[in-house]
Amino acid sequence: MSERESLRVAGETGSIDVSGLPSTVFGHRALTWWGTLGYMAAEGTTLIVCAVAYLYLQRNFATWPPRGTPLPSLSAATIQVVLMTASIPVMIWTARASRRFDLGRIRLGMVLSSVFALAFCVLRWFELQSLHTRWDTNAYGSAVWAILFAHATLLVVQFFEGATLAAMLFLGPVEPKHFADVDDSCLYWYFMTGAWFVLYLLVFISPRVWG
Amino acid sequence: MSAPVTADPDLVPPAEREGVRELHRQLDRVWRDGPGLRGWLMSVDHKSLGKRYVITAFVFFLLGGLEAAMMRAQLSRPENGLIGPDLYNQLFTMHGTTMMFLFAVPVMSAMGLYLVPLMIGSRDVAFPRLNAYGYYVYLIGGLFLYVSFFLNVGPDAGWFAYTPLSGPAFGVGKRVDVWAQTITFTEIAGLISAVELITTIFKQRAPGMSLNRMPLFVWSILVMAFMILFAMPWVAVDSQFLAMDRLIGTHFFNQAEGGDALLWQHIFWFFGHPEVYIIFIPALGYVSTVIATFTRREIFGYPAMILSLVATGFLGFGLWVHHMFATNIPQMGESFFTAASAMIAIPTGVQFFCWIATIWGGRPRFATPFLFILGFFAVFIIGGLSGVMIASVPFDLQVHDTFFIVAHLHYVLLGGAVFPLFSAFYYWFPKFTGRVLSERLGRWNFALFFIGVNLTFFPMHLLGLHGMPRRIYTYLEGTGWGSLNLLASIGAVTIFVSVVIFLVNVARTLRNGELAGDDPWGSSSTLEWATTSPPPAYNFAHLPVVQGRYPLWSRPLDPPVVTGLRTDQRELLITTLLDAVPDHRHRTPDPTIWPLLAALATGVTFIALIFTPWAAVIGGVLVAGPLIAWGWGKPKPGDPVVTEGIK
Amino acid sequence: MRDWLQSALQPAGPEAARVHALWVFMLWISIIVFVLVLGALAWGTFRRRAPGNVTIGEGSPGERGMKRAVSAAVGATVLVLFAFLVFDFSTGRALTARRTPAVQIEVTGHQWWWEVNYYNAVPNRRVTTANEIHIPVGRPVLIRLNSQDVIHSFWAPDLNGKRDLIPGKESSLWIQADSPGVYHGQCAEFCGYQHAKMAFIVVADRPDDFARWYAAQADTASTPTDSLALRGQEVFLSSPCVMCHSIHGTPAGATLGPDLTHLASRRYIAAGSLPNTRGNLAGWVLDAQGIKPGAKMPPNSLTPADLQALLAYLGTLK
């Protein structure tokens, strides 16, 4: 029987010696994975509240966006979606490398992650311009700026996290737990980009479809 | 390896005694806090932080109580001139904000943060440094609110801050901004405690403590934590929308530009209703624990109890519109919320009946903790019944925003949370401090509190029905509300006296109260009673192995334990989610000052945000420093280091 | 409390009466549930037991009986809640049944007074008053509710439940009084400094009294004949009063504060804070802040002679 199974059986009858257990694990076995999940739940709920405000306020307007405000331009946001999609395989590759304790690859991966995140932030600036409205123009402006800005905080935090991890991996000393940190960073990446895909559809596409 | 290894020096043959003592010394060296103030500020010990958290929350309870006392003094007579409208409006705002955000939820999370690792047989919470950060953020937030209050910039738009009254047009000055930022502080602390508790409960339970062997208190904390995770962001975002309307001209709630005053209410109450269950559900955990101990019987219907907790948690998210029945929401929609609000009585009823069955089948012992539980039953049920009444839209339209609601909410919160909390305090005080509170003073505390609560709040049902709205600083003589108000104010004095008795009890006991052994009650069932009172820094010399639902009732003289964890560095045992099979060993952090510094930087940022949005940028930089230092720790000697990667 | 009619337990109209009936039903059920549950608790706690000190659990004797008892109790709870829902929904449906209003009134909430406008097909028969509503006895009245500033709530418990006044959204409320009387109400949604003193009255008149009141209210104010009152009108028109108040029939037409055209016909001033007597009116005019701190009316310094003239004039505004 597996090591785990033998420990379980041992516990049913007597004491258990855990000295043979590992200290670095990945995925849902690790505490930080759960912490990341918790952070995702909180941030995700925050984005949902912004989306709810956006949807609720629509009923106060005859047209959406309101008369006088053009539809948000698609170019910057679509490039963002494409870039984010392209980044995902890179992060999957990095996550796999981290589970194999491949230091060289995860160094490259975290550098790429920082570059991507920086690019996302820059594109986010252009996306905000492409809304053709200000946060203080009307409730529509406030709602769309809130969504983009709230999500932007994820991008900014991710940039700093990626850059810090990259610096740690290059400057050292590197500990086994840093590999798990990289894996968690990639998990968070999927949430960050996935959330944007949904919000992109909400803000940039749905007004064109529903009118 | 299969022979049990005990950690009590007196239970081993003399030859092995020194070895066991050496084990304790090693663990103590590794796990204890550093000396002096510096050590205290750097602590990441869940017990040290948990005690601070509980005491801080209780201080806020006392402050909130003083605010209530002042209000009751003003309302004791019609057209009283003691307190004018401006101060009164600040008082009820501070009272609600303090009780809901600075006392009720924090005290429940704090009790969880202290007790859960002990109850599940672990040595700390999952993220000890984050735990410290969360506490300091909470403390700074609370201090910020009160300093503002004393500087006459305290919030005055109610704890619920309805727009447009709280908006830029009518909420003059920075008062409402202070409120909005206080929310930010407390919500961050709450979310942190939720992530801690979920991760700790899922991953750190002692081997053998599968989910269906987990104590009901731990289940209640788990449900509470999930609710916090999905409810608190709503009020955090709502308060930021309000802050932005006030500071940078957004229009979320400005009707003139397409915003909506009701949007505030929907978002707020979507948080606000789960909030009261966040407060109530851990209290249900106390009730189960204390009833089991003082009737010496397993809680009847363990699976039904868990399902009820979870059902209450879910249903709690579907009731929020019942706070908005008087607005112009369509009748059809309101009916759904009436049905849901009535339905939530069912899982609570299930719990009540299971407890009564437990008591019936057990052997009650009338120690003070049990008395407070009896008080809980009597007081909460009145609040629950009035709650079903106000689920009805036509009836609610009469009593909404009147003293009937004040009566209801205090019956459910005092009955449903504070009575169990006092029970918990009396029950766990020996574990926290090593001394047992006086039974005699405890009985007086209970009796006066019970009488006081009923005397204060029962008349308020009638006052509301007789036309007295809430949040009024005075009322005319002709209304005839004077005598019931006077009665309520006398009740408030009684509550005050009972709380003073509690404080006297605590002070005297700490000075020279009766010393407690591991389990002074003699019939406790959960793991925290298997170690000393108070527990050592490392909680248990050997982590326990659990073989049943009530470990202390079914364990042999020499219980099985976990061996093999390192004693030269801090290590936790991580187990699997469902069955708690040992999975890996986790190196947990040593004490550090960075959480405190990060919290101070966070505090400065949030406070500056009241004055300028650029604080977000500057503050971000300010916070980044401590956060990077926090994360970029140097490995300790003996920790593995990787140079070229492991192929 | 019997003379002062501001209570949901003394219904004076069909709406409040229906809610009262629901209340009585719920109260009795609650009392029965309370007695049963606490009785069960008391019995379980204090019943005599055989001696022994063993912890008991699943499989112990009595466990199956307990299961049945608990299940029965849960079942009873569901039934009681269902009965409550049935009674509640039927009450709600009755209260929202459509009818034709005898009178239509528009009430606009201000910080901290009530603007009252009576709708009439003939524009110059529309009535504007403040803080006092008259309705004909025994007839349904529709009140449309709006707010000029923050959220308020209109609540006259003898007549019906409350409804919020939300800026930018209109809501409506039916009231009907089945016996003549003065029914008190006040704002029931926290609206700032003087939320506590934002009261109103609904006066239910017999039909001919109502017609007479309405006709008088629809008239403009006549120019006084008495010289002191005439002087008082001059004082009014040359003081800051005209910045906020209107009196139909004079050039004063501001709408920031309550309409004063028929001030002398009202029972209270300052939104129900004070009975409408000469002395109270003097105090209010000179120093509103002393009576209602935070109210939007500033203090006014008038010479004693001017004050007497003004009071005489205001006294003619019936």
Side-chain angles (χ1 to χ4, degrees):
Chain A
M1 69 179 83
S2 69
E3 162 110 35
R4 235 200 247 171
E5 185 59 21
S6 63
L7 284 172
R8 189 183 67 75
V9 168
E12 290 300 321
T13 50
S15 295
I16 302 175
D17 181 357
V18 298
S19 49
L21 290 176
S23 342
T24 303
V25 294
F26 293 89
H28 68 86
R29 292 172 71 189
L31 290 181
T32 46
W33 188 89
W34 290 91
T36 306
L37 219 62
Y39 185 63
M40 283 159 50
E43 284 298 314
T45 308
T46 302
L47 294 172
I48 287 175
V49 181
C50 293
V52 163
Y54 173 93
L55 291 166
Y56 184 91
L57 290 170
Q58 271 186 244
R59 41 162 89 186
N60 287 351
F61 292 89
T63 63
W64 186 261
R67 220 177 301 276
T69 305
L71 284 166
S73 312
L74 282 181
S75 35
T78 311
I79 298 176
Q80 177 85 286
V81 168
V82 168
L83 204 60
M84 285 192 174
T85 312
S87 74
I88 291 178
V90 175
M91 299 316 290
I92 296 178
W93 174 85
T94 308
R96 290 222 186 100
S98 75
R99 290 185 186 219
R100 291 197 312 267
F101 292 95
D102 188 336
L103 181 58
R105 285 197 179 175
I106 64 168
R107 275 175 173 157
L108 175 61
M110 292 322 292
V111 167
L112 287 174
S113 146
S114 312
V115 169
F116 268 119
L118 190 60
F120 297 158
C121 290
V122 169
L123 274 169
R124 178 53 43 89
W125 166 258
F126 285 104
E127 282 167 319
L128 284 167
Q129 309 309 307
S130 75
L131 292 173
H132 304 302
T133 184
R134 278 166 54 107
W135 64 91
D136 56 359
T137 308
N138 49 35
Y140 166 80
S142 306
V144 289
W145 270 79
I147 291 177
L148 265 65
F149 200 80
H151 186 265
T153 58
L154 271 62
L155 301 173
V156 170
V157 167
Q158 189 60 25
F159 167 70
F160 277 111
E161 181 178 306
T164 309
L165 264 176
M168 277 164 72
L169 291 172
F170 276 100
L171 296 175
V174 176
E175 301 174 64
K177 67 170 180 175
H178 293 144
F179 292 88
D181 290 342
V182 168
D183 189 50
D184 287 332
S185 183
C186 298
L187 171 69
Y188 188 72
W189 194 273
Y190 311 141
F191 164 70
M192 183 184 78
T193 50
W196 178 246
F197 296 150
V198 174
L199 295 172
Y200 166 79
L201 288 173
L202 183 68
V203 172
F204 290 91
I205 305 295
S206 74
R208 292 176 152 84
V209 174
W210 310 129
Chain B
M1 231 188 304
S2 58
V5 180
T6 188
D8 188 338
D10 298 319
L11 290 183
V12 298
E16 297 176 35
R17 224 166 264 176
E18 185 51 33
V20 173
R21 286 206 192 95
E22 177 58 25
L23 172 66
H24 283 278
R25 275 196 291 270
Q26 271 185 323
L27 286 170
D28 184 59
R29 235 192 331 264
V30 165
W31 283 90
R32 66 161 182 255
D33 287 337
L37 179 65
R38 190 160 170 272
W40 191 80
L41 290 172
M42 287 170 62
S43 174
V44 294
D45 177 357
H46 76 102
K47 297 181 295 299
S48 174
L49 291 168
K51 269 192 298 198
R52 273 178 246 186
Y53 223 135
V54 171
I55 292 172
T56 309
F58 196 75
V59 168
F60 283 123
F61 173 70
L62 296 175
L63 289 171
L66 287 175
E67 286 141 16
M70 289 173 71
M71 290 193 280
R72 281 314 325 160
Q74 163 65 9
L75 289 179
S76 58
R77 278 186 354 220
E79 297 169 75
N80 203 357
L82 194 63
I83 294 174
D86 187 26
L87 179 58
Y88 191 89
N89 296 346
Q90 288 184 69
L91 283 175
F92 72 70
T93 305
M94 290 296 292
H95 173 74
T97 307
T98 300
M99 289 305 197
M100 296 299 277
F101 292 112
L102 296 178
F103 161 65
V105 174
V107 84
M108 297 303 177
S109 351
M111 294 288 278
L113 290 166
Y114 185 101
L115 288 168
V116 165
L118 286 161
M119 239 190 228
I120 62 175
S122 186
R123 288 212 165 111
D124 207 328
V125 290
F127 310 112
R129 291 172 299 187
L130 192 64
N131 196 12
Y133 174 75
Y135 168 71
Y136 291 125
V137 167
Y138 157 69
L139 176 66
I140 293 170
L143 288 172
F144 165 65
L145 178 69
Y146 271 85
V147 167
S148 305
F149 178 51
F150 290 129
L151 292 177
N152 201 27
V153 200
D156 60 350
W159 84 279
F160 50 95
Y162 274 9
T163 54
L165 181 65
S166 57
F170 301 98
V172 174
K174 288 298 182 190
R175 289 177 163 188
V176 173
D177 302 286
V178 166
W179 179 87
Q181 285 306 73
T182 303
I183 302 298
T184 313
F185 281 107
T186 56
E187 298 321 292
I188 294 210
L191 287 168
I192 286 175
S193 70
V195 174
E196 290 279 4
L197 291 165
I198 292 173
T199 312
T200 306
I201 291 172
F202 273 169
K203 298 298 295 173
Q204 291 177 222
R205 300 191 313 278
M209 189 184 279
S210 52
L211 281 179
N212 73 337
R213 284 178 180 169
M214 209 162 73
L216 286 168
F217 172 68
V218 182
W219 273 107
S220 74
I221 293 288
L222 186 65
V223 172
M224 173 198 82
F226 270 105
M227 292 185 78
I228 289 178
L229 208 54
F230 293 110
M232 281 197 174
W234 291 79
V235 73
V237 173
D238 216 14
S239 64
Q240 289 315 293
F241 282 174
L242 180 61
M244 287 193 282
D245 266 22
R246 293 170 58 85
L247 189 65
I248 59 174
T250 53
H251 300 288
F252 294 102
F253 311 117
N254 179 12
Q255 305 274 159
E257 289 289 357
D260 202 309
L262 280 186
L263 178 64
W264 169 267
Q265 293 187 33
H266 278 293
I267 299 180
F268 183 83
W269 288 116
F270 193 84
F271 148 81
H273 196 81
E275 157 91 339
V276 307
Y277 287 99
I278 287 169
I279 296 167
F280 177 53
I281 283 175
L284 301 177
Y286 303 149
V287 175
S288 289
T289 314
V290 171
I291 287 181
T293 302
F294 290 92
T295 60
R296 291 161 278 179
R297 207 217 102 106
E298 295 178 9
I299 296 290
F300 178 87
Y302 178 90
M305 295 291 282
I306 294 173
L307 282 172
S308 300
L309 283 173
V310 173
T312 307
F314 270 107
L315 279 173
F317 278 90
L319 311 186
W320 82 94
V321 174
H322 71 212
H323 298 270
M324 298 167 63
F325 281 158
T327 63
N328 66 342
I329 289 181
Q331 175 86 7
M332 190 54 140
E334 293 183 336
S335 306
F336 168 80
F337 291 95
T338 296
S341 304
M343 221 162 64
I344 203 166
I346 298 172
T348 308
V350 167
Q351 302 213 300
F352 256 64
F353 303 138
C354 287
W355 283 322
I356 293 177
T358 309
I359 294 173
W360 185 90
R363 209 164 275 284
R365 205 158 47 105
F366 295 91
T368 304
F370 192 68
L371 293 178
F372 272 104
I373 296 300
L374 294 177
F376 149 76
F377 278 110
V379 176
F380 176 77
I381 195 176
I382 294 176
L385 290 166
S386 64
V388 174
M389 289 185 191
I390 56 184
S392 148
V393 175
F395 181 70
D396 183 64
L397 289 180
Q398 281 284 30
V399 296
H400 168 69
D401 246 317
T402 70
F403 268 81
F404 188 94
I405 302 294
V406 178
H408 161 72
L409 80 91
H410 285 93
Y411 265 88
V412 285
L413 283 176
L414 285 168
V418 179
F419 269 86
L421 188 65
F422 271 112
S423 171
F425 281 161
Y426 276 88
Y427 180 57
W428 274 298
F429 192 87
K431 183 53 56 180
F432 277 56
T433 65
R435 293 181 189 273
V436 185
L437 287 168
S438 152
E439 270 297 301
R440 202 176 56 88
L441 285 178
R443 281 164 208 264
W444 276 102
N445 180 184
F446 166 73
L448 287 176
F449 195 68
F450 184 81
I451 293 170
V453 165
N454 282 294
L455 203 57
T456 309
F457 296 103
F458 200 83
M460 292 186 185
H461 291 108
L462 283 162
L463 280 170
L465 286 164
H466 280 311
M468 184 173 179
R470 289 171 83 166
R471 300 160 184 150
I472 54 175
Y473 74 99
T474 190
Y475 51 94
L476 293 177
E477 172 99 43
T479 56
W481 298 332
S483 38
L484 286 174
N485 267 293
L486 184 59
L487 203 60
S489 297
I490 292 171
V493 173
T494 315
I495 295 177
F496 183 86
V497 172
S498 87
V499 175
V500 168
I501 292 178
F502 175 74
L503 293 172
V504 166
N505 199 352
V506 170
R508 284 171 62 173
T509 304
L510 285 176
R511 198 137 22 96
N512 60 354
E514 173 196 332
L515 285 173
D518 289 8
D519 176 19
W521 307 112
S523 52
S524 304
S525 63
T526 41
L527 284 174
E528 74 274 21
W529 302 102
T531 185
T532 59
S533 303
Y538 43 91
N539 290 357
F540 306 92
H542 293 295
L543 300 183
V545 173
V546 163
Q547 289 164 337
R549 221 173 251 169
Y550 296 86
L552 258 59
W553 287 349
S554 56
R555 68 173 174 168
L557 227 57
D558 206 7
V561 295
V562 172
T563 61
L565 285 175
R566 290 177 69 155
T567 55
D568 60 337
Q569 59 177 281
R570 298 186 175 204
E571 246 190 9
L572 298 176
L573 176 66
I574 310 301
T575 57
T576 60
L577 175 54
L578 291 175
D579 287 322
V581 176
D583 184 71
H584 69 276
R585 300 176 348 250
H586 174 82
R587 173 86 169 87
T588 197
D590 290 334
T592 161
I593 198 69
W594 293 114
L596 172 59
L597 295 178
L600 287 168
T602 308
V604 167
T605 306
F606 287 161
I607 295 172
L609 269 172
I610 291 177
F611 301 101
T612 165
W614 288 109
V617 175
I618 302 165
V621 173
L622 210 62
V623 175
L627 280 183
I628 292 175
W630 171 338
W632 200 326
K634 292 213 179 343
K636 302 284 177 305
D639 280 352
V641 164
V642 177
T643 41
E644 282 312 314
I646 305 161
K647 288 285 187 284
Chain C
M1 217 163 319
R2 235 172 299 139
D3 305 327
W4 183 284
L5 300 173
Q6 191 175 353
S7 170
L9 297 180
Q10 296 171 258
E15 285 85 12
R18 277 198 185 275
V19 178
H20 187 261
L22 179 60
W23 153 251
V24 170
F25 170 74
M26 296 192 299
L27 180 63
W28 277 110
I29 301 241
S30 301
I31 291 174
I32 293 169
V33 169
F34 179 80
V35 167
L36 286 176
V37 173
L38 283 196
L41 175 67
W43 178 51
T45 308
F46 297 109
R47 74 183 185 100
R48 254 171 319 152
R49 293 161 164 82
N53 200 17
V54 180
T55 56
I56 320 164
E58 292 177 12
S60 63
E63 199 80 3
R64 206 156 20 121
M66 273 193 235
K67 273 209 187 93
R68 266 188 246 129
V70 170
S71 309
V74 175
T77 306
V78 174
L79 286 173
V80 167
L81 288 173
F82 190 70
F84 152 79
L85 281 178
V86 168
F87 201 135
D88 170 58
F89 285 152
S90 74
T91 305
R93 241 199 327 272
L95 286 171
T96 50
R98 292 173 171 279
R99 16 183 166 172
T100 329
V103 182
Q104 274 198 64
I105 306 175
E106 186 177 294
V107 170
T108 304
H110 298 259
Q111 281 177 319
W112 292 278
W113 58 281
W114 304 90
E115 178 188 336
V116 179
N117 286 294
Y118 282 75
Y119 173 78
N120 195 302
V122 181
N124 70 355
R125 300 307 293 167
R126 292 188 183 154
V127 163
T128 300
T129 181
N131 304 318
E132 182 169 312
I133 298 172
H134 284 244
I135 60 174
V137 162
R139 313 288 307 285
V141 173
L142 179 63
I143 305 186
R144 296 198 187 283
L145 300 161
N146 263 303
S147 171
Q148 273 289 51
D149 40 39
V150 299
I151 300 180
H152 301 275
S153 195
F154 182 93
W155 186 39
D158 281 67
L159 301 179
N160 200 352
K162 60 184 62 72
R163 183 68 76 211
D164 284 356
L165 288 73
I166 303 172
K169 296 178 195 288
E170 190 179 86
S171 46
S172 58
L173 185 70
W174 288 93
I175 58 172
Q176 178 174 323
D178 285 338
S179 48
V182 176
Y183 302 103
H184 291 260
Q186 63 190 91
C187 179
E189 180 59 62
F190 179 63
C191 54
Y193 286 135
Q194 284 298 340
H195 164 63
K197 292 193 176 177
M198 186 172 159
F200 61 90
I201 50 173
V202 178
V203 181
D205 291 320
R206 269 175 271 273
D208 38 337
D209 289 327
F210 177 76
R212 214 172 312 124
W213 174 85
Y214 192 92
Q217 295 286 317
D219 278 341
T220 59
S222 39
T223 312
T225 47
D226 174 60
S227 61
L228 186 62
L230 198 57
R231 164 101 191 287
Q233 186 182 54
E234 277 169 39
V235 170
F236 177 83
L237 290 174
S238 57
S239 298
C241 315
V242 299
M243 306 291 293
C244 303
H245 294 287
S246 31
I247 297 181
H248 298 306
T250 73
T255 53
L256 286 172
D259 185 295
L260 300 181
T261 314
H262 300 282
L263 176 64
S265 71
R266 297 190 208 144
R267 287 165 170 76
Y268 293 95
I269 57 169
S273 307
L274 294 167
N276 188 1
T277 65
R278 215 181 131 86
N280 284 340
L281 195 52
W284 177 251
V285 166
L286 289 176
D287 183 20
Q289 296 297 312
I291 294 162
K292 211 168 149 176
K296 304 279 172 84
M297 176 150 157
N300 295 290
S301 50
L302 296 168
T303 65
D306 279 350
L307 177 64
Q308 294 308 313
L310 180 64
L311 291 173
Y313 172 59
L314 294 175
T316 69
L317 297 174
K318 293 226 190 299

